[in-house]
């Protein structure tokens, strides 16, 4: 919401010395998020005046049309002589009043104006457009043509209100009333402790039988509909400068008088309105749900197929508007057009004004369904004051009569569904308990009254409080609070407590550290997840947090088969994007998307990781039951809710490409390969106290010859916990990834089950290590993991570590054979090993490998 400070001063008598920055600080203190303060006209310096075009000479011989004009600027140039100006615009004629900037002036952006020779003529200034003056879009993109009543030589800076400050407020969904000058003015008045001139306090005539006929068939979707009529509008009537400038400062484009007035009143009071051309409305106006398949062409020219849940405005022909979102093109206000035969201006002269209150949820769903986020829909879905409809209609009628020369119809239509005031009961000390600060009853009552609430107390407690100087002397002190109509978000005692706390100042709340009970802390599962993040970050990976949403097209790109469990996705009812309606079943697509974006922006050496849940539907999930909110749910209710959730295993994944080790004066670098992805999996597993078993595998989206299965022992059986390797070339091409991109994904929950519980610090032996190397020749089909497992089992307890440091194939090994060289480290915890002991352990390891894998000792 853009709030011009000059407009805000109409409702609150701010001190003359208060700047936009001062008001920003005050509004932030009361909980509004004022993002910026824009200073319009900053650096602007005159002379900038109203001029009248006297002559126009068309200059020939140039690539674009150029005009040499003489303009009467009165005495503003010091001579009274016509000003000679070269201009390329063509939307003005002789006799028009325009805005002229003279030499010596400075326009926004430090654009200094001086006399200069151009196109063979001397130009003494400029005829200005709205963009050049920083006024915003007026719909013409041309020279400003002023109404004829303004005198030549008038100061245009003041006339066009070019110098102002505009507060840009990010209005949260629960503060919809601040999408209006009325709402922001109320907050400003409260922040400064000043009275508010409420623009909604108007004399409104009561409804009568002569009003325009309205039939509301859905009182739940529309609980209030006000209709007023104005006739005899002058087609040539234009919006005055003050009105168009306020619209422009608020970020809206002037269109025509009737439309500008409805937009102006919406900004002023927060009530969206719509004006229909009465000549094109056929019969009574109705409000109902659409029939599935009905069509409506909205004001943006789009033909829309309606849903049965859409709320529509109708006449005898069918829908003429999408209620609360956008009107229909068939009843649009017609602009002034000159009749070619008679020369008379024709346009809309009679209008029907709609000011209604619609159900917020219905409007929000319609706007999302049709992807049509209008200014009206933004307000309705956040909550509009239903009591403001009649005042907004009256304000619109008054402005149309004043500015358009129309006559207000005597008929007043009010269709209202009975609704009682919303009343809450709250203990007077409830805000004190929530904030941990003793405010006192008087402060609570005063602050609630400032936000528009009517506050009453039980008689005994009230008299005790007033007589005792604001402190309760006995009994249960409760307040009965009637919530104002413009605050639909105040529905709970905690909401009222929040109002008191924010007005008293969040910055005044004391900082108190929580005191956790002894013996509490992170669970072992939480510690594991933190350790995994730290070890990957320490290995040079950068954490990338991605949205948990995906679509089937991504799984197609990854080459995942239709019967793969990763295809069993949980689909969202209301996805943020139609292309990503599912919850992710793997972390890799999100990381690959982050890698692709960073690679496209010039970062070619990338190593990213993410930890988080994936979502796997089992088909056994039950429909979720709605939990109660007035008490703590029972254990059975919570269990029932848990049973409705899909499986959410916790995963860790990495992707990497480019250089794994940078080249420099220290030597050559090294590119990232599939072995780095496998090592990342090993590093993660070690944090769980698990040594992975690595075997060759074929698993999408990995290259079939460069894919590893990561296995762990769970209850004595090998269990697949993840995969790692280089991505398939088809995947790299489909997803536009750099060549040789590698990835790894591992299941942290399975690792935790495979681990031995909490990690224990290793015992450091003070005795020396004995190192033995061994090279074994095996068939090329024998996995190195099998040879390693045999060596470990055969070496016994003296083996401290085992490392594969060389793989060799060639004539020396024989056809179809390979040589695997291992470094074995032996150590005893209580003594120095003898050469005989180390050799015996080595020989036992080799013997086990020979027996189980058919290995032959090389050499």
């Amino acid at each position: 919401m853009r709030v011009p400070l000059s407009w805000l001063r109409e409702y609150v008598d701010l001190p003359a010395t208060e700047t936009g920055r001062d008001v920003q600080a005050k509004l932030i203190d009361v909980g509004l998020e004022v993002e910026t303060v824009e200073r319009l006209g900053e650096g602007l310096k005159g002379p900038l005046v109203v001029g009248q075009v006297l002559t126009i000479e068309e200059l020939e011989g140039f690539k674009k049309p150029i005009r040499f004009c003489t303009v009467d600027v009165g005495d503003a140039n010091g001579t009274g002589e016509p000003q000679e100006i070269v201009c390329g615009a063509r939307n003005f004629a002789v006799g028009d009043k325009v805005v002229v900037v003279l030499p010596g002036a400075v326009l926004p952006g430090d654009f200094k104006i001086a006399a200069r020779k151009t196109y063979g003529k001397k130009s003494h200034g400029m005829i200005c457009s709205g963009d050049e003056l920083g006024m915003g879009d007026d719909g013409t993109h041309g020279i400003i043509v002023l109404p004829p009543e303004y005198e030549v030589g008038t100061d245009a800076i003041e006339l066009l209100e070019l110098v102002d400050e505009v507060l840009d407020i990010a209005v949260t969904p629960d503060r919809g009333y601040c999408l209006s000058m009325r709402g922001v003015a109320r907050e400003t008045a409260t922040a400064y402790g000043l009275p508010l001139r409420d623009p909604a306090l108007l004399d409104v005539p009561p409804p009568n039988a002569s009003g325009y006929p309205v039939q509301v068939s859905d009182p739940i979707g529309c609980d209030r509909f006000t209709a007023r009529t104005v006739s005899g509008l002058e087609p040539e009537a234009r919006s005055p400068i003050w009105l168009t400038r306020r619209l422009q400062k608020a970020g809206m484009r002037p269109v025509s008088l009737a439309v500008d007035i409805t937009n102006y009143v919406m900004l002023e009071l927060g009530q969206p309105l719509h004006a229909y051309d009465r000549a094109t409305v056929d019969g009574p106006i109705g409000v109902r749900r659409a029939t599935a398949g009905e069509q409506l062409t909205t004001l943006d020219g789009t033909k829309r197929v309606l849903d049965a849940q859409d709320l529509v405005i109708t006449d005898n022909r069918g829908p003429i508007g999408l209620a609360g979102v956008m009107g229909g093109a068939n009843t649009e206000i017609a602009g002034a057009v000159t009749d070619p035969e008679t020369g008379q201006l024709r346009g809309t002269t009679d209008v029907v004004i709609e000011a209604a209150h619609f159900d917020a949820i219905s409007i929000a769903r319609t706007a999302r369904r049709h992807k049509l986020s209008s200014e009206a829909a933004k307000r309705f879905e956040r909550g509009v004051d239903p009591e403001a409809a009649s005042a907004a209609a009256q304000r619109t009628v008054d402005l149309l009569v004043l500015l358009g020369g129309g006559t207000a119809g005597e008929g007043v239509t009010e269709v209202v569904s009975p609704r009682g005031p919303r009343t809450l009961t709250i203990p007077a000390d409830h805000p004190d308990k929530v904030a941990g600060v003793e405010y006192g009853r008087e402060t609570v009552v005063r602050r609630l009254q400032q936000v528009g609430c009517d506050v009453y107390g039980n008689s005994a407690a009230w008299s005790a409080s007033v007589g005792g100087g604001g402190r309760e002397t006995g009994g249960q002190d409760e307040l009965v609070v009637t919530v104002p109509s413009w605050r639909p978000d105040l529905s709970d005692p905690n909401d009222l407590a929040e109002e008191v706390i924010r007005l008293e100042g969040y910055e005044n709340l004391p900082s108190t550290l929580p005191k956790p009970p002894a013996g509490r802390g992170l669970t072992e599962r939480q510690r594991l997840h933190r350790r995994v993040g730290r070890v990957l970050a320490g290995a040079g990976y950068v954490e990338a947090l991605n949205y948990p949403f995906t679509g089937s097209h991504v799984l197609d790109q990854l080459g995942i088969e239709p019967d793969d469990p990763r295809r069993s996705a949980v689909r969202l009812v209301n996805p943020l994007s139609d292309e990503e309606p599912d919850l992710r079943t793997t972390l890799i697509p999100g990381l690959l998307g982050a890698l692709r974006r960073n690679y496209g922006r010039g970062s070619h050496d990338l190593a990213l990781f993410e930890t988080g849940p994936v979502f796997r539907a089992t088909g056994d999930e039950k429909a979720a039951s709605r939990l109660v909110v007035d008490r703590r749910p029972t254990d059975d209710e919570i269990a029932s809710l848990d049973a409705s959730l899909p499986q959410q295993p916790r995963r860790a994944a990495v992707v990497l490409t480019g250089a794994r080790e940078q080249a420099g004066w220290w030597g050559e670098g090294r590119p990232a390969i599939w072995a780095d992805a496998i090592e990342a999996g090993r590093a993660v597993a070690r944090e769980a106290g698990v040594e992975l078993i690595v075997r060759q595998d074929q698993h999408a989206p990995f290259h079939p010859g460069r894919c590893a299965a990561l296995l762990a022992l769970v209850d004595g059986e090998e269990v697949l916990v993840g995969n790692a390797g280089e991505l398939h070339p088809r995947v790299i091409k489909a997803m536009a990834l750099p060549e040789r991109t590698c990835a790894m994904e591992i299941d942290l929950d399975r690792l935790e089950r495979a681990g031995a519980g909490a990690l224990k610090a290793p015992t450091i032996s003070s005795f020396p290590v004995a190192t033995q190397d061994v090279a074994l020749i095996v068939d090329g089909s024998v996995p190195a993991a099998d040879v390693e497992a045999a060596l470990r089992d055969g070496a016994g307890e003296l083996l401290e570590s085992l490392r594969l440091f060389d793989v060799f194939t060639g004539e020396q090994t024989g056809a179809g054979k390979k040589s695997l060289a291992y470094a074995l480290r032996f150590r005893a915890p209580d003594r120095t090993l003898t050469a005989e002991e180390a050799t015996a352990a080595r020989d036992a390891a080799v013997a086990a490998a020979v027996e189980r894998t058919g290995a032959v000792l090389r050499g």
Side-chain angles (χ1 to χ4, degrees), residues 204-214 225-231 278 351-354 390 393-394 397 407-415:
V204 180
N208 52 53
S210 60
Y212 196 91
V214 173
F225 196 106
T226 300
R228 301 288 299 274
T229 59
V230 177
S231 58
R278 188 172 183 177
V351 298
V352 180
I353 299 162
E354 166 206 310
S390 56
Q394 182 64 45
V397 169
T407 302
E410 295 182 357
V412 178
T413 303
E414 287 272 6
V415 179

Side-chain angles (χ1 to χ4, degrees), residues 384-663:
V384 169
D385 181 5
E387 302 298 329
S390 56
Q394 182 64 45
R395 177 71 164 143
T396 304
V397 169
D398 293 342
L399 288 174
L400 285 172
V401 171
L402 176 66
L403 305 177
T407 302
E410 295 182 357
V412 178
T413 303
E414 287 272 6
V415 179
V416 181
S417 297
R419 172 188 298 203
R422 289 179 295 116
T423 300
L424 301 174
T425 301
I426 174 176
D429 61 350
H430 184 64
D432 301 15
K433 294 178 179 179
V434 173
V437 176
E438 186 175 350
Y439 293 122
R441 179 193 181 105
E442 288 185 352
T443 298
V444 172
V445 171
R446 175 171 57 85
R447 289 303 191 183
L448 291 178
Q449 289 174 338
Q450 284 180 329
V451 300
C453 296
D454 292 329
V455 185
Y456 308 92
N458 61 60
S459 57
W462 180 265
S463 60
S465 174
V466 174
R471 291 185 177 274
E472 173 61 17
T473 58
Q476 178 63 34
D477 187 5
E478 289 188 338
L479 302 177
V480 180
V481 181
T482 301
V483 177
S485 57
W486 59 82
R487 293 299 302 272
D489 58 302
L490 301 182
S491 58
D492 184 86
N494 288 327
D495 297 330
L496 300 178
E498 181 184 2
E499 293 299 298
V500 175
I501 295 168
R502 75 174 179 89
L503 294 181
E504 284 294 305
Y506 290 122
E507 70 278 6
N508 296 323
L509 294 177
S511 298
T512 305
L513 291 175
K515 298 179 180 179
R520 299 290 180 86
L522 298 178
T523 64
E524 182 57 33
R525 184 170 186 264
Q526 292 169 326
R527 291 192 182 97
L528 172 61
H529 296 161
R530 292 196 177 188
R531 291 199 305 269
V532 167
R534 284 196 294 267
V535 74
L536 290 175
Y541 292 86
V542 177
E543 187 171 17
L545 300 178
N546 299 289
Y547 288 116
F549 311 120
T550 188
S552 59
H553 67 284
V554 177
L555 301 181
D556 295 337
Q557 292 175 336
L558 293 177
I560 295 177
E561 298 295 332
D563 58 348
D564 194 291
R566 288 172 288 181
R567 290 280 186 177
S568 300
V570 178
R571 177 146 296 192
L572 299 171
V573 175
N574 54 342
L576 295 180
S577 169
D578 292 339
E579 295 183 356
E580 296 180 329
D582 303 331
L583 290 176
R584 65 189 179 192
T585 57
T586 169
L587 299 180
I588 289 180
L591 282 174
L592 292 178
L595 182 139
R596 182 176 60 245
R597 286 191 297 274
N598 283 275
Y599 192 88
R601 287 161 176 76
S603 298
H604 293 167
D605 303 323
L606 295 164
L608 309 177
F609 85 92
E610 181 177 11
T611 61
V614 298
F615 306 86
R616 295 290 182 89
T618 63
D620 298 329
E621 294 85 4
K622 301 177 181 178
S625 57
R626 188 180 296 274
L627 296 183
V628 296
V629 295
D630 58 343
R631 58 172 172 80
R632 183 191 183 279
T634 65
D635 293 341
D636 290 341
E637 289 172 336
I638 295 176
S640 173
L641 188 64
D642 288 339
S644 68
L645 299 176
Q647 292 182 355
Q648 300 180 46
R650 188 86 169 179
R651 297 288 185 87
V654 305
V655 295
L656 62 163
T657 190
R660 188 67 180 122
E661 295 177 3
Q662 296 289 339

Side-chain angles (χ1 to χ4, degrees), residues 65 96 121 225 357 375 380 401 444 448 451 468 474 616 679 687 698 754 759 795:
D96 282 345
K121 298 286 186 179
F225 196 106
H357 184 261
E375 291 293 327
F380 276 123
V401 171
V444 172
L448 291 178
V451 300
R616 295 290 182 89
E679 180 56 30
E687 293 303 312
Q698 292 190 13
L759 289 180

